[in-house]
């Protein structure tokens, strides 16, 4: 699928076809990948009817409140004018253009596994949006949270999540789940320092005072053992569990902004990956 | 899931278990639960049709109409003598907002009837999700979480 599209883009670029068609194709691919990566869920202040991607959404965490930045192409308040390398460093390594470090509330330890081509297609899509002038709000972190400079050390110890190679045939699902969809950021339990316990990939994370937690979605009895592949695909499309209950909280946004927008083949790849875990 | 089960066990072992049990006996609460379960089962049935797990495309509209009929009962399901169970006290404190939430569910169910009567799968699926979200929207504010 991905390679197919990439090959198509290449063909259009090199085959002397109308460049406009290639550009459209890149934007369509970028839009699709942006959905699959769920960027809009975090970078939109939905509670106050904010413009998509203009930031300002409050992420509450044990460390305090993070306000997501504006990622529309406004050159003063957004990411207009960023070079490809600056964007790649932010998305995959958590490094800002001025060299400072982002907090992992921005799930770059997951996005690190994104291919360069896919990341740049996302950039091309974001660059095509209407710029929105909206200054970023400073984070409100608790007193004990170390400054950005300490995140360098944190990253050296923890980032990116070092997943093992996926089994043959499950590559696409693994890519969508681990990297683009960053499902583990909510569904995988965390150990010291907030590091994901990859040996318990998607085994569920407990509810705490500051987090709604997330259920197990591996193929264990606590997870999706009783779900058919088609039940998972249907849930990811429309949000209904087999018992008739509809998704809520963080997952409702994941379904709305991400999984409901995917092709049936990609939803199936995700479902197959989950059913093969454990 | 495990946590949920443990929570249930703990609840049963404590006197709270007895209170929950009393509530089960209040006929108004039992009625409310019966209607809510009916609505939910209507969704299960429509989900099976939408997924083509059962080959009954013509029954989509029948189920949608039954949902639209029953969803109209929601506004009356919370009389003063039915406080308790998983309904949060807030639901008796802001009747206007509750009426709006109930109306949203009615509108969404009517839209689903329209889609099921002459829509394609995509239109039905969209209306189905919107109807489900109208239930969830009310639960998020007025219903205690499951665990």
């Amino acid at each position: 699928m991905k390679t197919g599209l990439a090959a198509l883009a290449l063909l259009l670029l090199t085959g002397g076809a109308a460049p406009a068609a290639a550009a459209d194709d890149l934007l369509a691919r970028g839009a699709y990948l942006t959905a699959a990566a769920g960027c809009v869920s975090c970078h939109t202040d939905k509670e106050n009817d904010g413009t998509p991607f203009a930031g300002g959404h409050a992420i509450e965490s044990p460390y305090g409140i993070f306000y997501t930045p504006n990622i529309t192409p406004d050159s003063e308040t957004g990411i207009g004018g960023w070079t490809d390398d600056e964007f790649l460093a932010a998305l995959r390594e958590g490094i800002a253009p001025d060299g400072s470090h982002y907090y992992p509330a921005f799930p770059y330890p997951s996005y690190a596994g994104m291919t360069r081509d896919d990341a740049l297609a996302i950039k091309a899509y974001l660059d095509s949006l209407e710029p929105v002038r909206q200054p970023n709000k400073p984070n409100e972190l608790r007193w004990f949270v170390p400054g950005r400079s300490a995140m360098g050390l944190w990253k050296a110890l923890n980032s990116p999540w070092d997943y093992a190679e996926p089994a043959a045939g499950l590559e696409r699902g693994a890519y969508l789940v681990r990297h683009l969809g960053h499902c583990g950021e909510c569904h995988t339990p965390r150990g010291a320092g907030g590091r994901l316990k990859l040996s318990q990939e998607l085994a569920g994370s407990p509810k705490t005072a500051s987090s709604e937690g997330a259920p197990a979605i591996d193929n264990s009895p606590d997870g999706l053992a009783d779900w058919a592949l088609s039940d998972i695909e249907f849930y990811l499309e429309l949000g209904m569990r087999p018992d008739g209950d509809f998704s809520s909280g963080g997952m409702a946004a994941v379904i709305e902004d991400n999984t409901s927008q995917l092709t049936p083949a990609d939803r199936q790849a995700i479902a197959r990956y989950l059913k093969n875990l454990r | 899931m495990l946590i949920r089960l443990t929570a249930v066990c703990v609840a049963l072992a404590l006197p709270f278990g007895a209170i929950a049990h009393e509530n089960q006996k209040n006929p108004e609460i039992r009625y409310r639960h019966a209607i809510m379960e009916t609505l939910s089962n209507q969704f299960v049935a429509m989900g099976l049709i939408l997924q083509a797990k059962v080959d009954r495309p013509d029954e989509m509209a029948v189920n949608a109409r039954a949902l639209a009929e029953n969803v109209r009962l929601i506004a009356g399901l919370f009389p003063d003598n039915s406080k308790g169970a998983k309904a949060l006290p807030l639901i008796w404190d802001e009747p206007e907002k509750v009426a709006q939430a109930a109306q949203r569910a009615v509108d969404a169910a009517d839209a689903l009837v329209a889609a099921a009567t002459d829509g394609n799968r995509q239109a039905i699926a969209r209306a189905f999700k919107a109807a489900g979200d109208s239930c969830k929207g009310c639960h998020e504010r007025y219903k205690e979480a499951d665990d």
Side-chain angles (χ1 to χ4, degrees):
Chain A
M1 168 75 194
K2 191 188 77 227
T3 40
L5 278 173
L8 184 66
L10 204 69
L11 196 78
L12 288 171
L13 277 171
T14 53
D24 284 354
D25 190 63
L26 177 66
L27 290 189
R29 222 183 108 227
Y32 186 82
L33 293 163
T34 303
C39 316
V40 79
S41 301
C42 281
H43 284 280
T44 306
D45 184 10
K46 291 187 196 174
E47 301 213 320
N48 299 305
D49 295 323
T51 313
F53 303 105
H57 166 63
I59 300 179
E60 295 184 26
S61 79
Y63 310 104
I65 304 176
F66 293 92
Y67 290 101
T68 54
N70 179 347
I71 56 168
T72 70
D74 183 64
S75 54
E76 277 177 35
T77 62
I79 61 169
W82 283 31
T83 65
D84 285 359
D85 285 340
E86 284 169 338
F87 185 81
L88 289 167
L91 194 61
R92 303 196 298 182
E93 296 169 53
I95 298 174
D98 68 3
S100 65
H101 299 286
Y102 294 116
Y103 289 99
F106 175 18
Y108 54 80
S110 290
Y111 292 148
M114 209 187 284
T115 66
R116 182 186 168 89
D117 274 4
D118 283 357
L120 291 180
I122 290 177
K123 177 174 191 287
Y125 170 70
L126 293 174
D127 284 345
S128 77
L129 300 172
E130 199 61 40
V132 177
R133 204 181 166 77
Q134 177 172 299
N136 294 332
K137 271 198 214 172
N139 295 331
E140 292 166 16
L141 303 183
R142 303 185 54 195
W143 61 268
F144 60 82
V145 177
R148 291 187 181 284
S149 54
M151 288 301 109
L153 177 62
W154 183 88
K155 281 193 234 174
L157 295 171
N158 299 295
S159 183
W161 312 136
D162 49 353
Y163 286 103
E165 280 291 303
L170 298 177
E171 294 87 351
R172 178 67 180 168
Y175 185 62
L176 287 163
V177 167
R178 294 168 166 182
H179 304 303
L180 288 175
H182 60 279
C183 317
E185 298 283 345
C186 294
H187 286 282
T188 298
R190 289 176 193 267
R195 187 190 177 87
L196 294 193
K197 292 184 181 166
L198 296 185
S199 59
Q200 299 170 48
E201 189 182 351
L202 304 180
S205 65
K207 187 176 175 143
T208 64
S210 49
S211 149
E212 64 171 342
I217 55 166
D218 55 8
N219 197 31
S220 65
D222 284 346
L224 304 176
D226 290 342
W227 296 43
L229 273 183
S230 57
D231 292 332
I232 302 173
E233 290 164 41
F234 192 66
Y235 179 83
L236 296 175
E237 182 194 0
L238 296 174
M240 193 186 83
R241 297 160 38 101
D243 66 6
D245 203 2
F246 277 77
S247 63
S248 58
M251 193 60 203
V254 171
I255 293 170
E256 180 83 27
D257 300 332
N258 172 353
T259 58
S260 70
Q261 316 276 327
L262 301 179
T263 60
D266 273 350
R267 276 193 294 271
Q268 189 180 59
I270 292 177
R272 286 184 51 235
Y273 180 75
L274 301 180
K275 286 298 276 184
N276 275 282
L277 267 181
R278 250 167 297 272
Chain B
M1 206 61 138
L2 190 66
I3 302 172
R4 209 171 291 170
L5 274 178
T6 342
V8 170
C9 296
V10 172
L12 287 175
L14 291 171
F16 290 118
I19 295 171
H21 208 74
E22 269 314 299
N23 278 336
Q24 294 305 321
K25 289 187 187 151
N26 178 334
E28 282 295 348
I29 292 181
R30 288 180 58 199
Y31 182 74
R32 172 161 77 228
H33 289 177
I35 299 297
M36 290 287 179
E37 293 293 347
T38 303
L39 296 170
S40 188
N41 281 323
Q42 223 77 66
F43 274 100
V44 174
M46 289 187 286
L48 291 167
I49 299 174
L50 261 181
Q51 293 174 79
K53 285 194 173 179
V54 293
D55 183 23
R56 299 169 181 270
D58 298 342
E59 293 177 23
M60 188 72 200
V62 180
N63 278 289
R65 284 197 298 273
L67 178 79
E69 186 92 11
N70 286 313
V71 89
R72 290 180 151 75
L73 301 178
I74 293 178
L77 288 181
F78 300 94
D80 281 347
N81 64 352
S82 74
K83 292 187 181 170
K86 287 194 168 170
L88 298 174
L90 186 62
I91 203 164
W92 285 278
D93 293 346
E94 40 181 50
E96 274 152 41
K97 279 194 176 174
V98 174
Q100 282 167 11
Q103 188 58 42
R104 268 196 295 277
V106 168
D107 294 343
D110 286 347
L112 179 58
V113 172
T117 309
D118 56 20
N120 53 10
R121 187 202 183 264
Q122 219 195 347
I124 297 174
R126 215 176 302 123
F128 175 86
K129 181 173 189 300
D133 288 344
S134 76
C135 315
K136 193 45 86 176
C138 193
H139 292 167
E140 282 187 342
R141 188 167 176 87
Y142 301 112
K143 179 172 173 281
E144 202 177 287
D146 284 333
D147 40 336

